[in-house]
Amino acid sequence: MAGHHGTQRADRSAVSAADAVPAIATSEPFRAATGLKYLAGFFGGGVALSALYAATGQGIPCPLRMLTGWECPLCGGTRLGSALLHGDLAAAFAYNPLIFLGLIGLTVVGVLWIVEAVGGPKVRPPARVGALLKRMTATRWLIAGLVVSVAYLLLRNLL
């Protein structure tokens, strides 16, 4: 009987492994309206934090800056947002150029998604870029983000 039980367990695990479907195969097609919800939440949080800083002068303290004196890749983001609320683009760029350029990119994407969500044309990257983006897993995005962040951290504090 013990052998029979062991065989059953092996068969169950074999069936479970065979039934496993890669996450990419089950992913749904992109919907602009869904992307806009995430983007709106991101921008809404940024505006709220920036407005709080503009009104009170209190931001979120950076642990890296407190410990080392170095500015992390996000340092200046709240001041950047406050400068944008006041319409001062030059100061916003000076506080954190990387975030500033990223916000421009997200704004462009957001406008394109709005156009698509209201029935306008779908704008997608060229086929070669689209194929590359489809191969980007969450781990690869994380690694790319970390590489950019570390490079920016070093450039901003050593130059």
Side-chain angles (χ1 to χ4, degrees):
M1 274 230 146
H4 180 65
H5 251 348
T7 306
Q8 264 186 332
R9 285 186 190 156
D11 289 345
R12 278 190 216 153
S13 64
V15 170
S16 297
D19 291 338
V21 177
I24 194 103
T26 61
S27 65
E28 295 181 19
F30 174 76
R31 299 183 197 284
T34 303
L36 280 170
K37 289 176 187 175
Y38 288 106
L39 203 53
F42 174 78
F43 275 110
V47 168
L49 185 61
S50 298
L52 180 66
Y53 176 77
T56 66
Q58 297 297 315
I60 297 174
C62 175
L64 181 70
R65 191 170 184 185
M66 288 189 313
L67 291 172
T68 66
W70 279 27
E71 290 189 336
C72 80
L74 299 177
C75 277
T78 305
R79 290 172 286 158
L80 175 147
S82 178
L84 287 176
L85 289 175
H86 289 99
D88 191 348
L89 297 178
F93 183 80
Y95 285 128
N96 194 317
L98 183 66
I99 291 178
F100 186 85
L101 296 173
L103 289 175
I104 290 172
L106 287 175
T107 301
V108 169
V109 167
V111 169
L112 294 172
W113 287 351
I114 289 170
V115 169
E116 181 178 333
V118 298
K122 293 180 180 180
V123 177
R124 298 293 184 263
R128 178 178 264 171
V129 175
L132 176 67
L133 292 174
K134 285 182 182 180
R135 286 195 311 262
M136 289 291 285
T137 63
T139 302
R140 288 180 178 167
W141 280 113
L142 179 62
I143 290 169
L146 288 172
V147 168
V148 169
S149 295
V150 169
Y152 184 62
L153 172 88
L154 293 173
L155 289 172
R156 134 183 254 201
N157 289 290
L158 295 177
L159 295 181

